[in-house]
Amino acid sequence: MKYDKHYRGPQVAAGWLPIVEEMLVALKDLPVTIVQIKEKFGELRVYADSVTDEQVTEIAETIEAAVYKARHTCEICGEPGKPVYINVPGVRCEAHV
């Protein structure tokens, strides 16, 4: 794994950082370039370019697993959460609704 020259680190709240870190560890030895990681419309978004077509499925499954986990994790504290709309979409636990 490598990073695009314009990559500035994950642009997500603290609750999702462990999910992003776990995903990056899983992608570490795969031929992928991370372009951007951010929250958009209450979902984790990961933009990446694959160097080869051979491992696209493994890369996509790893990213999708992180996106799925983020959909059920409070972006503020990392506790279990659910999608909410409080002025903007997000994922929150009961304590942060």
Side-chain angles (χ1 to χ4, degrees):
M1 178 187 68
K2 59 184 179 176
Y3 297 98
D4 183 79
K5 64 181 179 179
H6 299 293
Y7 180 73
R8 296 181 184 200
Q11 299 168 349
V12 298
W16 285 0
L17 286 176
I19 296 169
V20 170
E21 290 170 6
E22 180 181 329
M23 177 193 68
L24 293 175
V25 167
L27 293 173
K28 180 179 70 167
D29 296 325
L30 297 175
V32 62
T33 300
I34 301 298
V35 177
Q36 187 176 33
I37 301 172
K38 66 180 184 175
E39 177 276 330
K40 184 174 182 180
F41 301 121
E43 288 196 351
L44 178 65
R45 301 289 174 101
V46 180
Y47 301 98
D49 291 327
S50 178
V51 177
T52 67
D53 290 336
E54 298 162 357
Q55 293 179 302
V56 168
T57 302
E58 184 177 359
I59 293 166
E61 287 174 352
T62 301
I63 292 171
E64 184 53 40
V67 170
Y68 179 82
K69 191 180 261 188
R71 282 187 196 127
H72 304 284
T73 304
C74 177
E75 58 192 297
I76 304 298
C77 68
E79 293 296 317
K82 61 181 180 179
V84 296
Y85 189 89
I86 307 170
N87 297 324
V88 295
V91 181
R92 299 287 198 285
C93 64
E94 291 296 321
H96 292 109
V97 171

